[in-house]
Amino acid sequence: MLPPPTPSFLTRKSKILSQLSVPDVEYTDASPKGSVDVAIRDLIDEINHGYEGLVTTSSCAGRVSVYLEGVKRKKDNKASGAGGVEEGEGDGEGGGEDGVRASTVATTAAVTASSSGGKGGGEWLFVSHDPLETVDAKTGREYDGDHWMEVFGLIGNGSESEPGSGAGDGDGDSQQEQQQRLIHFKFEPMILHILTTSPYHAHLAIQSSMTSGFRETGAVSILPRLTAPFFSSCHQCHTHHNHLPQQLSSPSSTTTTPTPTESVTPNPIVAIRSMGLSFESLIGVQRGSQRQSLVSPEYLSLLVKIANERFVENKKRIARFKEALRLAFGEGATAAGGIEGQQKKKKKKSSDGESGNAEWEDAEARKQRKREEGLARREEVRRRKEKEEEEEEKRRKQEEIKEEENAGKVDLAEVVLQVPDVL
């Protein structure tokens, strides 16, 4: 049985929900887009209002993007005396604490560059949280690769470079190489962060996620937080020790006894994610002010097609995750399972002929029931298959009988032709 939500969790959840309740026209957060993605709005609402022990903190429904890396910069490494070049590339993940809905720039009709950009001064040249339209609505023709070159702001790899943007000699080569910025085409599936009231709630959320296809799901802050004086700094050995037993055993100690160590119930944060659907491809390079394509238009069309296919699979996994959560918390029979889970539980009890006050089955009983149901379904499938085989065998025999009857009939025309002419 899941523990009820802790007061600290309920306080944080109340703060998050109050921020989410702001109308969309007034709502802003720390992400470049500044609002929750429409594709997972229903999922977020269901988690926040249907499960008492869960609340979302950041999200992205999935996106396709064209990203320009930041400018390379030299590392400041005076201690070692060695210089280096560090490339500033950001992932652009929006995020925040306690109710900041993280998302990304949503641009489907035109190429835009986010002023906030990613880490290291990168820019989003194009971002969409929905599948890309591949057919012109006016003409009905499918967009070709040249269209995507224009949408992503690229020029052909055979185009002439502007003066001063090409490769030079001597120090110019090194300077030009340092100013070169790569352009990436990316697809990233849904990512969702859920604050949970206990490790038990986090466990159910992780199980639901992994069985739905988000196999890189994980959690942080799963251990209890310990308050002072459990960890007191020991300056002699530069470690952390609990000196309480030593103080209690010292007869000359006149100091007051510290309060016992208190553990704070953890509120794990579950990160729902999947790397299996994501992919990235280098498609261009910026030299000076020109963004030059390194791939053919046909290759860009192929990338768009693959991204749209990944959007479809991403949507399926989101639907499976939503259903898995309902099963995990609805059949878990806990006071913290949410209103929806309690309603499903009561409905199931009434359908099984049990009273509303009956005790819910424990894990072993549920396991046994599921096993019996599985065996019953297997037996039903076996009987159905046998019936189909019997019907098929009966039909085959009937066809053989008809063929034999047709073969036994004598064609009168052939008989007449075979009678010798006696006249």
Side-chain angles (χ1 to χ4, degrees), residues 38 40 44 52 55 60 69 72 76 78 112 122 158 160 196 247 261 282 309 356 369 412 414:
V38 177
I40 56 173
I44 291 176
E52 191 177 4
V55 64
C60 177
E69 292 181 357
K72 296 179 181 179
D76 186 9
K78 297 180 181 180
T112 60
E160 296 182 359
T196 62
Q247 295 174 357
T261 301
L282 180 64
E309 293 174 352
R369 177 175 60 82
L412 296 178
E414 293 181 358

Side-chain angles (χ1 to χ4, degrees), residues 2 32 35 89 197-198 210 212 244 343 414:
L2 295 177
S35 62
E89 178 185 358
T197 189
S198 72
M210 297 190 70
S212 304
L244 181 59
Q343 291 176 347
E414 293 181 358

